[in-house]
Amino acid sequence: MEQKEENLVKKTCRELGINQKELANLTGFSEAVISRWNRGANLTESTKKHFALLIENSKLKTHIISKVID
């Protein structure tokens, strides 16, 4: 049985604590494109990697900031 992929737009927004409009501004994609992807349009592999890197970068920033504060 094939497992359905999580909606990457929703996941990225949730992980970054932003909305779709802010994601569009952050990535340079139009709000219409972000909205289409959110509704299920296929993302390219490079876009999937782009979103994954945004999440990873955010987590690294949080980790670094927490170490500086400690």
Coordinates of all heavy atoms in Angstrom, one line a residue:
M1 N 0.8 -1.2 0.0 CA 0.0 0.0 0.0 C 0.9 1.2 0.0 O 1.8 1.4 0.8 CB -0.9 0.0 1.2 CG -1.9 1.2 1.3 SD -2.9 1.2 2.7 CE -4.0 -0.1 2.5
E2 N 0.6 2.2 -0.9 CA 1.4 3.4 -1.1 C 1.0 4.4 0.0 O -0.2 4.7 0.1 CB 1.3 4.0 -2.5 CG 2.2 5.1 -2.7 CD 2.1 5.6 -4.2 OE1 1.9 4.8 -5.1 OE2 2.1 6.9 -4.3
Q3 N 2.0 5.0 0.7 CA 1.6 6.0 1.7 C 1.6 7.4 1.0 O 2.5 7.7 0.2 CB 2.7 6.0 2.8 CG 2.3 6.9 3.9 CD 3.3 6.8 5.1 OE1 4.4 6.2 4.9 NE2 3.0 7.3 6.2
K4 N 0.6 8.2 1.3 CA 0.4 9.5 0.7 C 1.4 10.4 1.3 O 1.6 10.5 2.5 CB -1.0 10.0 0.9 CG -1.2 11.3 0.1 CD -2.7 11.7 0.3 CE -2.9 13.0 -0.4 NZ -4.2 13.5 -0.3
E5 N 2.1 11.2 0.4 CA 3.1 12.2 0.9 C 2.3 13.4 1.7 O 1.2 13.7 1.3 CB 3.8 12.9 -0.2 CG 5.0 12.1 -0.7 CD 5.8 12.9 -1.8 OE1 5.9 14.1 -1.7 OE2 6.3 12.3 -2.7
E6 N 3.0 13.9 2.7 CA 2.4 15.0 3.4 C 2.5 16.2 2.5 O 3.4 16.4 1.7 CB 3.2 15.3 4.7 CG 2.7 16.4 5.5 CD 3.5 16.7 6.8 OE1 4.5 16.0 7.0 OE2 3.0 17.5 7.6
N7 N 1.5 17.1 2.6 CA 1.5 18.3 1.8 C 2.7 19.2 2.2 O 2.8 19.6 3.3 CB 0.2 19.1 2.1 CG 0.0 20.3 1.3 OD1 0.9 21.2 1.3 ND2 -1.1 20.5 0.6
L8 N 3.6 19.4 1.2 CA 4.8 20.0 1.5 C 4.7 21.5 1.8 O 5.4 22.1 2.6 CB 5.8 19.8 0.4 CG 7.3 20.1 0.7 CD1 7.8 19.4 1.9 CD2 8.1 19.7 -0.5
V9 N 3.7 22.1 1.2 CA 3.5 23.6 1.5 C 3.0 23.7 2.9 O 3.5 24.5 3.7 CB 2.4 24.2 0.5 CG1 2.0 25.6 0.9 CG2 3.0 24.2 -0.9
K10 N 2.0 22.9 3.3 CA 1.5 23.0 4.7 C 2.6 22.6 5.7 O 2.8 23.3 6.7 CB 0.4 22.0 4.9 CG -0.9 22.5 4.2 CD -2.0 21.5 4.4 CE -3.3 22.0 3.7 NZ -4.4 21.1 3.8
K11 N 3.4 21.6 5.4 CA 4.5 21.2 6.3 C 5.5 22.3 6.4 O 6.0 22.7 7.5 CB 5.2 20.0 5.8 CG 6.4 19.5 6.6 CD 7.1 18.3 6.0 CE 8.3 18.0 6.9 NZ 9.0 16.9 6.4
T12 N 5.9 22.9 5.3 CA 6.9 24.0 5.3 C 6.4 25.2 6.1 O 7.1 25.7 7.0 CB 7.3 24.4 3.9 OG1 7.8 23.3 3.2 CG2 8.4 25.5 3.9
C13 N 5.2 25.6 5.9 CA 4.6 26.7 6.6 C 4.5 26.4 8.1 O 4.9 27.3 8.9 CB 3.2 27.0 6.1 SG 3.2 27.8 4.5
R14 N 4.1 25.2 8.4 CA 4.0 24.8 9.9 C 5.4 24.9 10.5 O 5.6 25.4 11.6 CB 3.4 23.4 10.0 CG 3.2 23.0 11.4 CD 2.6 21.6 11.5 NE 3.5 20.6 11.0 CZ 3.3 19.9 9.9 NH1 2.2 20.0 9.2 NH2 4.1 19.0 9.5
E15 N 6.4 24.3 9.9 CA 7.7 24.2 10.4 C 8.3 25.6 10.6 O 9.1 25.8 11.5 CB 8.6 23.3 9.5 CG 8.3 21.9 9.5 CD 8.8 21.1 10.7 OE1 9.7 21.6 11.4 OE2 8.2 20.0 10.9
L16 N 8.0 26.5 9.6 CA 8.6 27.8 9.7 C 7.8 28.8 10.5 O 8.2 29.9 10.8 CB 8.8 28.4 8.3 CG 9.8 27.6 7.4 CD1 9.8 28.2 6.0 CD2 11.2 27.5 8.0
G17 N 6.5 28.4 10.8 CA 5.6 29.3 11.6 C 5.2 30.5 10.7 O 5.0 31.6 11.3
I18 N 4.9 30.2 9.4 CA 4.5 31.3 8.5 C 3.3 30.8 7.8 O 2.9 29.7 7.8 CB 5.6 31.7 7.6 CG1 6.0 30.5 6.7 CG2 6.8 32.2 8.3 CD1 7.1 30.8 5.6
N19 N 2.7 31.8 7.0 CA 1.5 31.4 6.2 C 2.0 31.4 4.7 O 3.1 31.6 4.4 CB 0.4 32.5 6.4 CG 0.8 33.9 6.0 OD1 1.5 34.1 5.1 ND2 0.2 34.8 6.8
Q20 N 1.0 31.0 3.9 CA 1.4 30.9 2.4 C 1.9 32.1 1.8 O 2.8 32.1 1.0 CB 0.2 30.3 1.7 CG -0.2 28.9 2.0 CD -1.3 28.4 1.1 OE1 -1.5 28.8 0.0 NE2 -2.2 27.6 1.7
K21 N 1.3 33.3 2.2 CA 1.8 34.5 1.6 C 3.2 34.8 2.0 O 4.0 35.2 1.2 CB 0.9 35.7 2.1 CG 1.2 37.0 1.5 CD 0.3 38.1 2.0 CE 0.7 39.4 1.3 NZ -0.3 40.5 1.5
E22 N 3.6 34.5 3.3 CA 4.9 34.7 3.7 C 5.9 33.7 3.0 O 7.0 34.1 2.7 CB 5.0 34.6 5.2 CG 4.3 35.7 6.0 CD 4.1 35.4 7.4 OE1 3.7 34.3 7.8 OE2 4.2 36.4 8.2
L23 N 5.4 32.5 2.8 CA 6.2 31.5 2.1 C 6.5 32.0 0.6 O 7.6 31.9 0.1 CB 5.5 30.2 2.0 CG 6.3 29.0 1.4 CD1 7.6 28.8 2.1 CD2 5.4 27.8 1.3
A24 N 5.5 32.6 0.0 CA 5.7 33.1 -1.3 C 6.7 34.2 -1.3 O 7.6 34.3 -2.2 CB 4.3 33.7 -1.9
N25 N 6.6 35.1 -0.3 CA 7.6 36.2 -0.2 C 9.0 35.7 0.0 O 10.0 36.2 -0.5 CB 7.2 37.2 0.9 CG 6.0 38.0 0.5 OD1 5.8 38.3 -0.7 ND2 5.3 38.5 1.5
L26 N 9.1 34.7 0.9 CA 10.4 34.1 1.2 C 11.1 33.4 0.1 O 12.3 33.5 -0.1 CB 10.2 33.1 2.4 CG 11.4 32.4 3.0 CD1 12.4 33.4 3.6 CD2 11.0 31.4 4.0
T27 N 10.3 32.7 -0.7 CA 10.8 31.9 -1.8 C 10.9 32.6 -3.1 O 11.6 32.1 -4.0 CB 10.0 30.6 -2.0 OG1 8.6 31.0 -2.3 CG2 10.0 29.7 -0.7
G28 N 10.1 33.6 -3.3 CA 10.1 34.3 -4.6 C 9.1 33.7 -5.6 O 8.9 34.2 -6.7
F29 N 8.3 32.7 -5.1 CA 7.3 32.1 -5.9 C 6.0 33.0 -5.7 O 5.8 33.6 -4.7 CB 6.9 30.7 -5.6 CG 8.1 29.7 -5.9 CD1 8.8 29.1 -4.8 CD2 8.4 29.4 -7.2 CE1 9.8 28.2 -5.1 CE2 9.4 28.5 -7.4 CZ 10.1 27.9 -6.4
S30 N 5.2 33.0 -6.7 CA 3.9 33.8 -6.6 C 3.0 33.1 -5.6 O 3.1 31.9 -5.4 CB 3.2 34.0 -7.9 OG 2.7 32.8 -8.4
E31 N 2.1 33.9 -5.0 CA 1.1 33.3 -4.1 C 0.2 32.3 -4.9 O -0.2 31.3 -4.3 CB 0.2 34.4 -3.5 CG 0.9 35.3 -2.5 CD 0.0 36.3 -1.9 OE1 -1.0 36.0 -1.4 OE2 0.4 37.5 -2.0
A32 N -0.1 32.6 -6.1 CA -0.9 31.7 -6.9 C -0.2 30.3 -7.1 O -0.8 29.3 -7.0 CB -1.2 32.3 -8.3
V33 N 1.1 30.3 -7.3 CA 1.8 29.0 -7.4 C 1.8 28.3 -6.1 O 1.6 27.1 -6.1 CB 3.3 29.3 -7.9 CG1 4.1 28.1 -7.8 CG2 3.3 29.8 -9.4
I34 N 2.1 29.0 -5.0 CA 2.1 28.4 -3.7 C 0.7 27.8 -3.4 O 0.6 26.6 -3.0 CB 2.5 29.4 -2.6 CG1 3.9 29.9 -2.8 CG2 2.3 28.8 -1.2 CD1 5.0 28.9 -2.5
S35 N -0.3 28.5 -3.8 CA -1.7 28.0 -3.6 C -2.0 26.8 -4.4 O -2.6 25.8 -3.9 CB -2.7 29.1 -3.9 OG -4.0 28.7 -3.8
R36 N -1.5 26.8 -5.7 CA -1.7 25.6 -6.5 C -1.0 24.4 -5.9 O -1.5 23.3 -5.9 CB -1.1 25.8 -7.9 CG -2.2 26.2 -8.9 CD -1.7 26.1 -10.4 NE -0.4 26.5 -10.7 CZ -0.1 27.8 -11.0 NH1 -1.0 28.7 -11.1 NH2 1.1 28.1 -11.3
W37 N 0.2 24.6 -5.5 CA 1.0 23.4 -4.8 C 0.2 23.0 -3.6 O 0.2 21.8 -3.3 CB 2.4 23.9 -4.5 CG 3.3 24.0 -5.7 CD1 3.2 23.4 -6.9 CD2 4.4 24.8 -5.7 NE1 4.2 23.8 -7.7 CE2 5.0 24.7 -7.0 CE3 5.1 25.7 -4.8 CZ2 6.2 25.3 -7.4 CZ3 6.2 26.3 -5.2 CH2 6.8 26.1 -6.5
N38 N -0.3 23.9 -2.8 CA -1.0 23.5 -1.6 C -2.3 22.7 -1.9 O -2.6 21.8 -1.1 CB -1.4 24.8 -0.8 CG -2.0 24.5 0.5 OD1 -1.5 23.7 1.3 ND2 -3.2 25.1 0.8
R39 N -2.9 22.9 -3.1 CA -4.1 22.2 -3.5 C -3.7 20.9 -4.1 O -4.6 20.1 -4.5 CB -4.9 23.0 -4.4 CG -5.6 24.2 -3.7 CD -6.7 24.9 -4.6 NE -6.2 25.1 -5.9 CZ -5.7 26.3 -6.4 NH1 -5.4 27.2 -5.5 NH2 -5.3 26.4 -7.6
G40 N -2.4 20.6 -4.3 CA -2.0 19.3 -4.8 C -1.3 19.2 -6.1 O -1.0 18.1 -6.6
A41 N -1.0 20.4 -6.7 CA -0.2 20.4 -8.0 C 1.1 19.8 -7.7 O 1.7 20.0 -6.6 CB -0.2 21.8 -8.5
N42 N 1.7 19.1 -8.6 CA 3.0 18.5 -8.4 C 4.1 19.5 -8.3 O 4.2 20.5 -9.0 CB 3.3 17.6 -9.6 CG 2.5 16.3 -9.6 OD1 2.0 15.9 -8.5 ND2 2.3 15.7 -10.7
L43 N 5.0 19.3 -7.3 CA 6.2 20.1 -7.1 C 7.4 19.4 -7.8 O 7.5 18.2 -7.8 CB 6.5 20.2 -5.7 CG 5.7 21.2 -4.8 CD1 4.4 20.6 -4.5 CD2 6.5 21.6 -3.6
T44 N 8.3 20.2 -8.4 CA 9.5 19.6 -9.0 C 10.4 19.1 -7.9 O 10.3 19.6 -6.7 CB 10.2 20.6 -9.8 OG1 10.7 21.7 -9.0 CG2 9.4 21.2 -11.0
E45 N 11.3 18.3 -8.2 CA 12.3 17.8 -7.2 C 13.1 19.0 -6.6 O 13.4 19.0 -5.4 CB 13.2 16.7 -7.8 CG 12.5 15.4 -8.0 CD 11.9 14.8 -6.7 OE1 12.6 14.9 -5.6 OE2 10.7 14.4 -6.7
S46 N 13.4 19.9 -7.5 CA 14.2 21.1 -7.0 C 13.4 21.9 -6.0 O 14.0 22.4 -5.0 CB 14.8 21.9 -8.1 OG 13.7 22.5 -8.9
T47 N 12.1 22.1 -6.2 CA 11.3 22.8 -5.3 C 11.2 22.1 -4.0 O 11.2 22.7 -2.9 CB 9.9 23.1 -5.9 OG1 10.1 23.8 -7.2 CG2 9.0 23.9 -5.0
K48 N 11.0 20.8 -4.1 CA 10.9 20.0 -2.8 C 12.2 20.1 -2.0 O 12.2 20.3 -0.8 CB 10.7 18.5 -3.2 CG 9.4 18.2 -3.7 CD 9.2 16.7 -4.1 CE 7.9 16.4 -4.7 NZ 7.8 15.0 -5.1
K49 N 13.4 20.1 -2.7 CA 14.7 20.3 -2.0 C 14.7 21.7 -1.5 O 15.3 21.9 -0.3 CB 15.8 20.1 -3.0 CG 16.0 18.6 -3.3 CD 17.1 18.3 -4.3 CE 17.1 16.9 -4.7 NZ 18.1 16.6 -5.7
H50 N 14.2 22.7 -2.2 CA 14.2 24.1 -1.7 C 13.5 24.2 -0.4 O 14.0 24.8 0.6 CB 13.6 25.0 -2.8 CG 13.6 26.4 -2.6 ND1 14.0 27.3 -3.5 CD2 13.2 27.2 -1.5 CE1 13.9 28.6 -3.0 NE2 13.4 28.5 -1.8
F51 N 12.3 23.6 -0.4 CA 11.5 23.7 0.9 C 12.2 22.9 2.0 O 12.2 23.4 3.1 CB 10.1 23.1 0.6 CG 9.2 24.0 -0.2 CD1 9.6 25.2 -0.7 CD2 7.9 23.6 -0.4 CE1 8.7 26.0 -1.4 CE2 7.0 24.5 -1.1 CZ 7.4 25.7 -1.6
A52 N 12.8 21.8 1.7 CA 13.5 21.0 2.7 C 14.7 21.8 3.3 O 14.9 21.8 4.5 CB 14.0 19.7 2.2
L53 N 15.4 22.5 2.4 CA 16.5 23.4 2.9 C 16.0 24.5 3.7 O 16.7 24.9 4.7 CB 17.3 23.9 1.7 CG 18.2 22.8 1.0 CD1 18.7 23.4 -0.3 CD2 19.3 22.3 1.9
L54 N 14.8 25.1 3.4 CA 14.3 26.2 4.2 C 14.0 25.7 5.6 O 14.3 26.3 6.6 CB 13.0 26.7 3.6 CG 13.1 27.6 2.4 CD1 11.7 27.8 1.8 CD2 13.8 28.9 2.7
I55 N 13.4 24.5 5.7 CA 13.1 23.9 7.0 C 14.4 23.6 7.8 O 14.6 23.9 9.0 CB 12.3 22.6 6.9 CG1 10.9 23.0 6.3 CG2 12.2 21.8 8.2 CD1 10.0 21.8 5.9
E56 N 15.4 23.0 7.1 CA 16.7 22.7 7.8 C 17.4 23.9 8.2 O 17.9 24.0 9.4 CB 17.6 21.9 6.8 CG 18.9 21.5 7.4 CD 19.7 20.7 6.4 OE1 19.3 20.4 5.3 OE2 20.9 20.4 6.8
N57 N 17.4 25.0 7.4 CA 18.0 26.2 7.8 C 17.3 26.8 9.0 O 18.0 27.3 9.9 CB 17.9 27.2 6.6 CG 18.7 28.5 6.9 OD1 19.7 28.5 7.4 ND2 18.0 29.6 6.5
S58 N 16.0 26.8 9.1 CA 15.3 27.3 10.2 C 15.7 26.5 11.5 O 15.9 27.1 12.6 CB 13.8 27.2 10.0 OG 13.1 27.6 11.1
K59 N 15.7 25.2 11.4 CA 16.1 24.4 12.6 C 17.5 24.7 13.0 O 17.8 24.8 14.2 CB 15.9 22.9 12.2 CG 14.5 22.5 12.1 CD 14.3 21.0 11.8 CE 12.9 20.6 11.7 NZ 12.7 19.2 11.4
L60 N 18.4 24.9 12.1 CA 19.8 25.2 12.4 C 19.9 26.5 13.1 O 20.6 26.7 14.1 CB 20.7 25.1 11.2 CG 21.0 23.7 10.7 CD1 21.7 23.8 9.3 CD2 21.8 22.9 11.6
K61 N 19.2 27.5 12.6 CA 19.2 28.8 13.2 C 18.7 28.7 14.7 O 19.3 29.3 15.6 CB 18.3 29.8 12.4 CG 18.9 30.3 11.2 CD 18.0 31.3 10.5 CE 18.6 31.9 9.2 NZ 17.7 32.8 8.6
T62 N 17.6 28.0 14.9 CA 17.0 27.8 16.2 C 18.0 27.2 17.1 O 18.2 27.6 18.3 CB 15.7 27.0 16.1 OG1 14.8 27.7 15.3 CG2 15.1 26.8 17.5
H63 N 18.7 26.2 16.6 CA 19.7 25.4 17.4 C 20.9 26.4 17.8 O 21.3 26.4 19.0 CB 20.2 24.2 16.6 CG 21.3 23.5 17.3 ND1 21.0 22.6 18.4 CD2 22.6 23.4 17.1 CE1 22.2 22.1 18.8 NE2 23.1 22.6 18.1
I64 N 21.4 27.1 16.8 CA 22.5 28.0 17.1 C 22.1 29.1 18.1 O 22.8 29.4 19.0 CB 23.0 28.7 15.8 CG1 23.7 27.6 14.9 CG2 23.9 29.8 16.0 CD1 24.0 28.0 13.5
I65 N 20.9 29.7 17.9 CA 20.4 30.7 18.8 C 20.3 30.2 20.2 O 20.7 30.8 21.2 CB 19.1 31.3 18.3 CG1 19.4 32.2 17.1 CG2 18.5 32.2 19.4 CD1 18.2 32.6 16.4
S66 N 19.8 28.9 20.4 CA 19.6 28.3 21.7 C 21.0 28.1 22.4 O 21.1 28.2 23.6 CB 18.8 27.0 21.6 OG 19.6 26.0 21.0
K67 N 22.0 27.8 21.6 CA 23.4 27.6 22.1 C 24.0 28.9 22.6 O 24.7 28.9 23.5 CB 24.3 26.9 21.1 CG 23.9 25.5 20.8 CD 24.0 24.6 22.0 CE 23.6 23.2 21.7 NZ 23.6 22.3 22.9
V68 N 23.7 30.0 21.8 CA 24.3 31.3 22.2 C 23.6 31.8 23.4 O 24.3 32.4 24.3 CB 24.1 32.3 21.0 CG1 24.4 33.7 21.4 CG2 24.9 31.8 19.8
I69 N 22.3 31.5 23.6 CA 21.6 32.0 24.8 C 22.0 31.3 26.0 O 22.1 31.8 27.1 CB 20.1 31.9 24.5 CG1 19.7 32.9 23.5 CG2 19.3 32.2 25.8 CD1 18.3 32.8 23.0
D70 N 22.4 30.0 25.9 CA 22.8 29.2 27.0 C 24.0 29.6 27.7 O 24.8 30.2 27.8 CB 22.9 27.7 26.7 CG 21.6 27.0 26.4 OD1 20.6 27.6 26.8 OD2 21.6 25.9 25.8

